Amino acid sequence: MKHVLSGAAVATALVLGTGGNATAAIKIGFMLPYSGTYAALGQAIENGFKLYVQEQGGKLAGQELEYFKVDDESNPAKGPDNANRLIKRDHVDILVGTVHSGVAVALAKAAKDSDTTLIIPNAGADVITGPLCSKNIFRSSFSNWQPGYAMGGVAAKKGYKHAVTITWNYAAGKESTDGFKESFEKGGGKVVKQLALPFPKVEFQPLLTEIAALKPDVVYTFFAGGGAVKFVKDYDASGLRKTVPLLASGFLTDGTLDAQGKAAEGLLTTLHYADGLNTPRDNAFRADYAKAYPKTAPDVYAVQGYDAAQILAAGLNAVKGDVSKKAAMRAAMSGATIDSPRGTFKLSKAGNPVQDFYLREVKDGKNLSIGIAAKGLADPARGCKL
Ligand code: PHB
């Protein structure tokens, strides 16, 4: 016998069932927030991704997956180092991340420089599917512009004339409120003031006082995660809801309704997912999710994680699990039709989902769809040259 296999190597060969010609597992690098205001979002994404893999029998394209994890803390300053932990130290084949737009820009640059395939399961930074767009970068989520643009049209149609926006002062908030402003003003409205506070601060009171003084017809907001819980409670407690209706991108109330309770009832939001879609695809997803994670309800983040795995599967199936065939794998990812719980979608040339945006209303603690705010909405991909 020429080769003496170590115990570990024998075990690996047996697990893979390839009788000694074992190919290494595909290395997946999760760069997600596991702490801070977006911690629950990161966990939901990982849960969704792993659920899809589990539904395929624990493998994609016949290959085992090996997971590597980094907590990016939603801290853009640590973005480059955290990305390189996965790329240069762990040598991952595929990057999956992240939630925060500022961190995602650092991750996208590192992915581009190292020619690593990246699937973004949340962060909407417009620049990533704009000037930074690249053949190795895909989104299973949205661009920040999309839900904001969808809601601006709704607000204009409702006849509101003067709006104030309020958000965190970073890419996601700025781009979401700019998207709202674009379609609201196209529809005849005017955004009279754009208010912001630093991420992830939650001292909303001075800005709520300013809104009360400005007396707009309506407020549009982007907040998410822990900050969104506090904002909805503060807006309600301030009494403003009685005089100034609050509109938002659906992140305000997704995954946060249990904590917001009555303060969220009746809020209108726009998002590419909703509760109670009652399609066979979504019902199956939700039943599987409830079985796998009985303590948490599925939300938009879980769906985005699940669909990140579906996009990857489309690529891996096309190359029979051979991740070294990057061009063929990426072409298949780019051309795939994704059978998402949200409804099927395809990616734009820039790699961003072209999808419907639901108008949702919070009813009895659920984000129920009450119509479509924007059908087949594509991000304009301004500045993308692909
Ligand atoms: C973002 O930073 O792009 C972001 C974060 C949380 C969300 C949505 C967008 O829920």
Coordinates of all heavy atoms in Angstrom, one line a residue, residues 38 41 99-102 122-125 142 144 170 172 222 224-225 251 301, ligand 1:
Y38 N -28.0 44.8 13.6 CA -28.4 43.9 12.5 C -28.1 42.4 12.8 O -28.2 41.6 11.8 CB -27.7 44.3 11.2 CG -28.1 45.6 10.6 CD1 -27.3 46.3 9.7 CD2 -29.4 46.2 10.8 CE1 -27.7 47.5 9.1 CE2 -29.7 47.4 10.2 CZ -28.9 48.1 9.4 OH -29.3 49.2 8.8
L41 N -30.7 39.9 11.6 CA -30.8 39.8 10.1 C -29.7 38.9 9.6 O -30.0 38.0 8.7 CB -30.6 41.2 9.5 CG -31.7 42.3 9.7 CD1 -32.0 42.6 11.1 CD2 -31.3 43.6 8.9
V99 N -25.0 42.4 5.2 CA -26.3 43.2 5.5 C -26.1 44.7 5.2 O -26.9 45.3 4.6 CB -26.8 42.9 6.9 CG1 -27.9 43.9 7.3 CG2 -27.3 41.5 7.0
H100 N -25.0 45.2 5.8 CA -24.8 46.7 5.8 C -24.1 47.2 4.5 O -23.1 46.6 4.1 CB -23.9 47.0 7.0 CG -23.6 48.5 7.3 ND1 -22.7 49.2 6.4 CD2 -24.0 49.3 8.2 CE1 -22.7 50.4 6.9 NE2 -23.4 50.5 8.0
S101 N -24.7 48.2 3.9 CA -24.2 48.7 2.6 C -22.7 49.1 2.6 O -22.0 48.8 1.7 CB -25.1 49.8 2.1 OG -26.2 49.4 1.4
G102 N -22.3 49.8 3.7 CA -21.0 50.3 3.8 C -20.0 49.1 3.8 O -18.9 49.1 3.2
N122 N -28.3 40.7 1.1 CA -29.1 41.8 1.6 C -28.6 43.2 1.1 O -29.3 43.8 0.3 CB -29.1 41.9 3.2 CG -30.1 43.0 3.6 OD1 -31.3 42.9 3.5 ND2 -29.6 44.1 4.1
A123 N -27.4 43.7 1.6 CA -27.0 45.1 1.4 C -27.4 45.6 0.0 O -27.0 45.1 -1.0 CB -25.5 45.2 1.6
G124 N -28.1 46.8 0.0 CA -28.6 47.3 -1.2 C -27.8 48.4 -1.9 O -28.2 48.9 -2.9
A125 N -26.6 48.7 -1.4 CA -25.7 49.8 -1.9 C -25.9 49.9 -3.4 O -25.5 49.0 -4.2 CB -24.3 49.6 -1.5
F142 N -32.0 43.2 -3.3 CA -32.7 44.5 -3.8 C -31.6 45.5 -3.9 O -30.5 45.3 -3.3 CB -33.7 45.0 -2.8 CG -33.1 45.2 -1.4 CD1 -32.6 46.5 -1.1 CD2 -32.9 44.2 -0.5 CE1 -32.0 46.7 0.1 CE2 -32.3 44.4 0.7 CZ -31.8 45.6 1.0
N144 N -31.0 49.6 -2.8 CA -31.7 50.5 -1.9 C -32.7 51.4 -2.6 O -33.7 51.8 -2.0 CB -30.6 51.4 -1.2 CG -29.8 50.6 -0.2 OD1 -30.3 49.7 0.5 ND2 -28.5 50.9 -0.1
Y170 N -26.2 57.0 6.2 CA -25.2 56.2 5.4 C -25.9 55.7 4.2 O -27.1 55.9 4.0 CB -24.7 55.0 6.3 CG -25.5 53.8 6.4 CD1 -25.1 52.6 5.7 CD2 -26.6 53.7 7.2 CE1 -25.8 51.4 5.8 CE2 -27.4 52.5 7.3 CZ -27.0 51.4 6.6 OH -27.7 50.2 6.6
A172 N -27.4 53.2 2.8 CA -28.8 52.6 2.7 C -29.9 53.6 2.9 O -30.9 53.7 2.2 CB -28.9 51.4 3.7
F222 N -36.4 55.0 6.3 CA -35.7 53.7 6.3 C -35.0 53.5 7.6 O -34.1 54.3 8.0 CB -34.6 53.7 5.2 CG -33.6 52.5 5.4 CD1 -33.9 51.3 4.9 CD2 -32.4 52.7 6.1 CE1 -33.0 50.2 5.1 CE2 -31.6 51.6 6.4 CZ -31.8 50.4 5.9
A224 N -33.9 49.7 10.1 CA -34.0 48.2 10.1 C -33.5 47.7 11.4 O -32.8 48.4 12.1 CB -33.3 47.7 8.9
G225 N -33.8 46.4 11.6 CA -33.3 45.7 12.8 C -33.7 46.4 14.1 O -34.8 46.9 14.3
F251 N -38.3 47.1 5.5 CA -37.3 46.7 6.5 C -37.7 47.2 7.8 O -37.3 46.6 8.9 CB -35.9 47.1 6.1 CG -35.6 46.8 4.7 CD1 -35.4 47.7 3.7 CD2 -35.4 45.4 4.4 CE1 -35.1 47.4 2.4 CE2 -35.1 45.1 3.1 CZ -34.9 46.0 2.1
Y301 N -35.2 38.5 5.2 CA -33.8 38.2 5.3 C -33.6 36.7 5.1 O -32.6 36.3 4.4 CB -33.2 38.7 6.6 CG -33.5 40.1 6.8 CD1 -34.5 40.5 7.7 CD2 -32.9 41.1 6.1 CE1 -34.8 41.9 7.9 CE2 -33.2 42.5 6.2 CZ -34.2 42.8 7.2 OH -34.6 44.1 7.3
Ligands
PHB1 C1 -28.2 48.1 4.0 O1 -27.3 48.6 4.7 O2 -28.1 48.1 2.7 C2 -29.4 47.6 4.6 C3 -29.4 47.2 5.9 C4 -30.5 46.6 6.5 C5 -31.7 46.5 5.7 C6 -31.7 46.9 4.4 C7 -30.5 47.5 3.8 O3 -32.8 45.9 6.3

